[in-house]
Amino acid sequence: MYYRPHVDDSQYSYPLDFCPIFNADTQEIIHIDVPEVRRPINKAPPNNYHAAAIEAEGGFRKDIKPINISQPEGVSFTMDGRIISWQNWKLHIGFNYREGMVLSNITFNDKGNERPVFWRMSLAEMVVPYGNPEHPHQRKHAFDLGEYGGGYMTNSLSLGCDCKGAIHYLDAAFVNRAGAPTTIKNAICIHEEDNGILFKHTDFRDDSVTVTRARKLIISHIFTAANYEYCVYWIFHQDGTVQLEIKLTGILNTYAMNPGEDLHGWGTEVYPGVNAHNHQHLFCLRIDPNIDGPSNTVFQVDAARGPGEVGSKENKYGNAFYAKKTRFETVEQAMSDYDGSSSRTWEVCNENKLNPYSHKPVSYKLVSREVPSLLPREGGLVWKRAGFARHAVHVTKCKFRPAQSNR
């Protein structure tokens, strides 16, 4: 709960210390949680972000020169309804109430051979657990997709452009929770960006230089979950990489604090009388691989030292190391966590088709790094509800697939 002294003030500067419990079925407030330690509204001046408040503090910065992006010959992608083709990539862009964007039937044209890569990719869920053990903050663990709906909360970019350059927009249509059709105008932004160097090599023998510029295709949407904005970018690269980038912006979820209160490490004072609790943002990415067909296998890959001590026959100089691969055979075994000490990745491959040069199965590498595991303890409320967040990777079998289609 928050207080707003004026209609233009940011309420997050004035958090209240109680929590009403509302029964959505009976439309009644059935209880109000009040903490043992009461915390009054702070007396600090408002901390606002709208244009008038910024002008009153000196205005927007004036030391930035404009950056103009132009593509005088147009974009390098083509659209056929909801199907986009770009740099040998081809895919369908869908949308639904819960997940927001859904990319499906993703293929890559390999010198005339249209090879399937992924059947479907989307954000399936996310959880935001807060780390203050004081009652009633155990309730603060929002499922921003499953409970709120990433599609339902998607911004209309016609109300403020969030992309730059030559842009193609798509509307998002879905059925809302009342069963009525809903359309979000300009919900999806598609554009290209320069991406630095793709390849460069200088041959010191004859001073010849080969360099090519990289370009990336970005398919994005932005949804607002109360105080936070989530900017979701699906990025396709010319080297075959598919990247998911999520930018988090907006305003911190805050709570009241007394002057000089010891926060015990559970939060940080970000403004007088304002406590921002520790929290995580854990996303669940759903990937349905279809690498040269549906018969795909997953391996865990760890950088490992070679066997044998220094001076031994198999490792005389002690410099041997390799990529250790562990095949996932069961769902239980395939609940895997990231290990930074071995730079762990996961390899999704089709063992029925070999690369002509390496003679190894064609594959994609799943890279998910430098993210702590679910920090709430096993057996707690968040741990019970957010089962997907207990491990970095879960692999399950899918025996049946619908017939492929370009639509």
Side-chain angles (χ1 to χ4, degrees), residues 77-97:
F77 59 85
T78 59
M79 299 294 304
D80 180 11
R82 308 286 296 197
I83 297 173
I84 184 170
S85 299
W86 177 83
Q87 298 290 294
N88 297 320
W89 288 106
K90 188 176 181 181
L91 62 140
H92 179 272
I93 305 171
F95 194 93
N96 66 48
Y97 177 100

Side-chain angles (χ1 to χ4, degrees), residues 12-130:
Y12 298 105
S13 298
Y14 301 97
L16 302 178
D17 71 344
F18 59 89
C19 178
I21 310 303
F22 181 72
N23 187 321
D25 293 327
T26 63
Q27 300 288 295
E28 295 176 316
I29 293 177
I30 59 176
H31 182 69
I32 296 180
D33 275 335
V34 179
E36 293 183 3
V37 178
R38 298 306 307 270
R39 299 168 176 88
I41 300 174
N42 76 71
K43 304 299 183 182
N47 186 20
N48 295 325
Y49 304 96
H50 54 76
I54 294 173
E55 283 297 328
E57 294 186 1
F60 294 98
R61 60 187 307 165
K62 302 175 178 62
D63 57 347
I64 297 179
K65 303 297 182 182
I67 296 177
N68 297 316
I69 300 173
S70 64
Q71 293 178 266
E73 298 182 20
V75 297
S76 301
F77 59 85
T78 59
M79 299 294 304
D80 180 11
R82 308 286 296 197
I83 297 173
I84 184 170
S85 299
W86 177 83
Q87 298 290 294
N88 297 320
W89 288 106
K90 188 176 181 181
L91 62 140
H92 179 272
I93 305 171
F95 194 93
N96 66 48
Y97 177 100
R98 176 192 176 109
E99 299 166 293
M101 279 194 301
V102 177
L103 308 183
S104 58
N105 203 14
I106 302 168
T107 64
F108 192 87
N109 191 314
D110 183 6
K111 299 179 180 179
N113 178 23
E114 190 170 345
R115 300 173 64 180
V117 180
F118 297 101
W119 173 250
R120 189 184 191 276
M121 294 196 299
S122 68
L123 280 176
E125 186 54 281
M126 65 165 296
V127 65
V128 188
Y130 282 76

Side-chain angles (χ1 to χ4, degrees), residues 1 7 32 87 110 136 189 191 196 259 269-270 345 380 382 402:
M1 299 295 293
V7 67
I32 296 180
Q87 298 290 294
D110 183 6
C189 170
H191 72 289
E269 184 174 9
V270 294
T345 58
V382 184

Side-chain angles (χ1 to χ4, degrees), residues 23 54 103 147 166 195 204 211 233 241 282 291 334 360 362 405:
N23 187 321
I54 294 173
L103 308 183
E147 292 179 336
N195 197 36
F204 70 90
V211 61
Y233 302 93
T241 299
L282 299 173
I291 300 171
K360 297 179 180 180
V362 294
S405 169

Side-chain angles (χ1 to χ4, degrees), residues 188-349:
I188 298 172
C189 170
I190 305 171
H191 72 289
E192 297 173 290
E193 289 183 7
D194 181 86
N195 197 36
I197 294 175
L198 178 63
F199 173 84
K200 181 175 182 178
H201 180 64
T202 300
D203 193 322
F204 70 90
R205 297 173 179 83
D206 58 12
D207 290 331
S208 63
V209 179
T210 302
V211 61
T212 57
R213 296 292 298 180
R215 181 177 299 201
K216 58 186 178 182
L217 176 75
I218 302 177
I219 307 171
S220 63
H221 77 118
I222 298 172
F223 65 91
T224 301
N227 54 302
Y228 278 121
E229 265 73 23
Y230 295 98
C231 309
V232 181
Y233 302 93
W234 287 97
I235 305 171
F236 289 81
H237 296 266
Q238 292 168 307
D239 63 0
T241 299
V242 181
Q243 176 186 358
L244 174 61
E245 178 181 309
I246 301 175
K247 291 183 180 180
L248 181 58
T249 178
I251 303 174
L252 288 167
N253 184 293
T254 57
Y255 185 64
M257 62 175 290
N258 287 315
E261 179 181 349
D262 183 359
L263 301 181
H264 303 290
W266 311 127
T268 301
E269 184 174 9
V270 294
Y271 198 63
V274 180
N275 174 10
H277 288 161
N278 302 341
H279 59 285
Q280 294 179 281
H281 297 260
L282 299 173
F283 295 86
C284 180
L285 170 63
R286 172 182 170 180
I287 302 174
D288 293 338
N290 193 27
I291 300 171
D292 278 336
S295 298
N296 292 169
T297 305
V298 180
F299 290 83
Q300 178 180 292
V301 183
D302 295 277
R305 293 185 176 93
E309 298 299 324
V310 177
S312 65
K313 182 178 180 180
E314 63 269 33
N315 196 6
K316 182 176 181 179
Y317 302 102
N319 62 320
F321 56 88
Y322 70 111
K324 179 182 178 181
K325 297 186 179 182
T326 304
R327 182 191 183 101
F328 287 153
E329 300 285 358
T330 66
V331 173
E332 184 177 13
Q333 178 202 10
M335 294 187 294
S336 179
D337 295 311
Y338 176 67
D339 186 348
S341 64
S342 65
S343 191
R344 179 171 293 168
T345 58
W346 295 267
E347 188 175 287
V348 186
C349 67

